[in-house]
Amino acid sequence: MHNFQAQDHFADGAQYIAGRLTKGTSGHSHTVVDPASGDDVYSYELAGSDDVDAAVAAAAEAFPGWAGATPGERSDALHRFAGVLADRAEEFAQAESLQCGKPIKLSREFDVPGTVDNAAFFAGAARHLQGQSAGEYTGDHTSYVRREPIGVVGSIAPWNYPLQMAAWKVLPAIAAGNTIVLKPAELTPFTSLLFAQAATEAGIPDGVVNIVTGAGKDAGEHLVGHPDVAMTSFTGSTGVGKRVAEIATASVKRLHLELGGKAPFVVFDDADLDAAVHGAVAGALINTGQDCTAATRAYVQRPLYEAFVQGVADLMDSVRLGDPFDPSTDLGPLISHAHRDRVAGFVDRARSYARVVTGGEALQHPGAYYKPTLIADAAQDSEIVQSEIFGPVLVVLPFDSDDEGIRLANDTPYGLAASAWSRDVFRANRATREIKAGCVWVNDHIPILSEMPHGGYKASGYGKDMSAYSFEEYTQVKHVMFDNTAEVRKDWHRTIFGDR
């Protein structure tokens, strides 16, 4: 059983503004439901436009002092932040599993330690915001490049990885000297609020990290369009991302979008079959398939196709569904019954044109559980292949030539992640070059790390989370040029007035 009592933790409200919890003022309430049991676990008042205004004002007030801190001072604060997160790891894991239905082993071994590592990485990276080296590029001037913070960042995070997405949004932004207002999904506010509290506990000044928990149409759109917000970072579906882009570009804000995915999993005929089978099941079922980089389309070269289908079906049938707080549980519920029904709808419609090899049904259980599902014999242009399902569903298709396999891998609007499976380094290297995705794994699928960037191609968005590349999202680049001649009249002035 879980030990996290949300109503006690957040009795003062689900907004965190200027270093303290407050209640929302929208006049509308929301109840967080445990997706594993269907029980109500926390009721709160949603944020409205006034709460967004207050949070942005707090961030704007804190910006000059935080931006003016030395890189070493921000680094020290982030190191303390990482320490607080590590000390409170079990509390974060309990809260994450309660609100999301994640198996506790996933929260303890993936979400929480990944977040602690991310904080430690950006603590170091805060000291390395260099621009281009100084030099006399014209001969008469010295030029150098400064990286400066942008200002107040307004970020929106999804419900599938609430803790990690809070970290991916907050950490690079504040390491670069910005302040931030984060809107988590109203379904999953707990760990974002704990994250902001931990920042305060670590000594990060009030107003640097603020949380507004409200609906997208109200709090989210107001945050994106706010005139005092200089940048928007959004992670979520491509459809909502388009709306965010419309609002942000109307006021010419910096914009970072990490959107949907439909990751291909390409298995060539020389691949290690057992490794590919295990990789496909793990890659498809992580977080109950609610992962934009999850393996969703397996393309298997025809000599291995039937064995792969059978192997994946057998392994999926061994996956243990159950109580997320039981350490032996492999797969938890989907985020809600509504989302479970959406996933089931994709599978049910596919029965008319494809074969459900295993799974394809909900559990008779109060929670939002859906069995791991493998679908075969679908056409490339079918809904089940082309659309993002965001559930524990893998579709597998055969291919003949390498050219065909890579062409099929690229044949969706998305380009977030992919994997290629082969023992041939030249074959695998070709796949990494030609598959259009922001990350291509070879003989694995899913691992991420703080040092490497995460972001997509095509309809999967643009910009990078994590890594030093994220500073390109959260800093302004300024060219500074000094005249070295001390001459009153420069040679180039003759192009405007007078003669040489």
Side-chain angles (χ1 to χ4, degrees):
M1 294 294 294
H2 70 85
N3 298 313
F4 187 83
Q5 301 300 316
Q7 206 70 52
D8 294 337
H9 274 78
F10 308 121
D12 293 329
Q15 320 305 323
Y16 195 79
I17 300 171
R20 66 185 183 93
L21 289 169
T22 65
K23 297 183 185 299
T25 63
S26 70
H28 302 287
S29 63
H30 182 79
T31 298
V32 177
V33 176
D34 174 2
S37 66
D39 294 339
D40 296 348
V41 294
Y42 179 62
S43 295
Y44 67 97
E45 294 81 15
L46 291 164
S49 58
D50 289 346
D51 304 300
V52 173
D53 290 344
V56 172
E61 183 177 355
F63 174 70
W66 184 247
T70 67
E73 289 168 338
R74 290 199 294 268
S75 176
D76 288 347
L78 286 166
H79 276 299
R80 295 193 302 270
F81 192 11
V84 172
L85 294 172
D87 290 344
R88 295 174 61 181
E90 182 60 19
E91 179 186 14
F92 277 90
Q94 294 267 338
E96 193 79 335
S97 286
L98 175 61
Q99 66 183 354
C100 300
K102 293 176 187 281
I104 192 67
K105 65 180 180 180
L106 182 65
S107 293
R108 285 173 177 160
E109 300 176 32
F110 184 76
D111 296 66
V112 175
T115 300
V116 174
D117 182 75
N118 213 230
F121 171 81
F122 280 107
R127 290 180 178 266
H128 298 283
L129 279 167
Q130 297 101 337
Q132 189 173 354
S133 298
E136 287 67 49
Y137 297 98
T138 70
D140 291 336
H141 305 83
T142 296
S143 288
Y144 66 89
V145 171
R146 292 175 53 88
R147 282 192 178 273
E148 298 179 347
I150 295 171
V152 177
V153 177
S155 291
I156 299 176
W159 49 256
N160 58 331
Y161 288 102
L163 176 59
Q164 287 197 320
M165 293 298 100
W168 287 15
K169 300 298 183 195
V170 170
L171 292 168
I174 67 173
N178 301 285
T179 56
I180 190 166
V181 179
L182 173 71
K183 192 199 87 66
E186 58 268 36
L187 296 174
T188 55
F190 299 161
T191 45
S192 296
L193 293 168
L194 291 176
F195 193 75
Q197 289 179 313
T200 299
E201 185 178 340
I204 293 172
D206 292 349
V208 172
V209 179
N210 306 275
I211 307 294
V212 289
T213 311
K217 283 287 186 183
D218 300 322
E221 293 198 0
H222 190 63
L223 178 62
V224 173
H226 199 289
D228 294 331
V229 168
M231 174 186 168
T232 292
S233 176
F234 171 80
T235 296
S237 71
T238 298
V240 177
K242 291 177 180 178
R243 174 61 180 157
V244 169
E246 289 174 1
I247 299 170
T249 54
S251 54
V252 200
K253 296 187 193 308
R254 176 79 65 89
L255 183 60
H256 169 214
L257 298 174
E258 198 266 271
L259 305 178
K262 190 71 178 175
F265 186 101
V266 183
V267 183
F268 296 100
D269 57 15
D270 67 330
D272 182 323
L273 179 61
D274 287 342
V277 165
H278 282 78
V281 174
L285 300 186
I286 185 170
N287 204 36
T288 319
Q290 298 166 131
D291 186 311
C292 49
T293 62
T296 58
R297 301 177 288 138
Y299 296 103
V300 183
Q301 209 151 20
R302 206 169 293 276
L304 297 184
Y305 179 74
E306 293 298 338
F308 179 88
V309 170
Q310 188 61 55
V312 168
D314 291 345
L315 190 54
M316 279 188 169
D317 288 343
S318 73
V319 170
R320 299 165 296 185
L321 283 70
D323 178 3
F325 290 92
D326 182 341
S328 67
T329 292
D330 297 322
L331 199 71
L334 291 158
I335 189 64
S336 67
H337 287 82
H339 186 57
R340 184 198 65 186
D341 293 345
R342 177 183 177 277
V343 171
F346 278 102
V347 176
D348 291 343
R349 290 189 296 274
R351 297 180 196 277
S352 65
Y353 58 79
R355 173 168 57 102
V356 178
V357 180
T358 191
E361 60 181 315
L363 293 187
Q364 296 301 309
H365 188 282
Y369 289 88
Y370 196 79
K371 289 183 178 180
T373 300
L374 179 65
I375 294 175
D377 305 333
Q380 175 66 16
D381 62 356
S382 62
E383 178 190 53
I384 204 77
V385 174
Q386 293 292 323
S387 298
E388 187 175 31
I389 300 168
F390 227 56
V393 179
L394 176 66
V395 59
V396 57
L397 298 85
F399 69 91
D400 292 304
S401 68
D402 289 17
D403 288 348
E404 182 188 15
I406 292 172
R407 178 181 62 78
L408 292 171
N410 286 329
D411 184 28
T412 72
Y414 300 106
L416 187 58
S419 63
W421 297 74
S422 174
R423 290 185 173 99
D424 185 327
V425 66
F426 299 103
R427 206 176 204 182
N429 202 27
R430 178 194 175 189
T432 65
R433 291 194 310 272
E434 297 186 13
I435 292 176
K436 305 303 181 187
C439 175
V440 182
W441 294 285
V442 176
N443 296 328
D444 208 344
H445 193 108
I446 285 297
I448 55 174
L449 64 161
S450 298
E451 291 83 357
M452 289 291 116
H454 176 87
Y457 286 28
K458 303 190 292 186
S460 292
Y462 46 82
K464 300 299 178 186
D465 289 311
M466 300 195 296
S467 81
Y469 289 99
S470 64
F471 286 133
E472 295 177 7
E473 313 299 319
Y474 294 100
T475 55
Q476 298 276 20
V477 175
K478 177 185 286 184
H479 171 213
V480 178
M481 178 181 273
F482 282 85
D483 170 58
N484 293 331
T485 67
E487 294 176 357
V488 172
R489 185 170 181 181
K490 309 296 191 292
D491 185 59
W492 68 269
H493 291 179
R494 67 186 173 82
T495 63
I496 313 301
F497 60 89
D499 300 317
R500 185 184 291 274

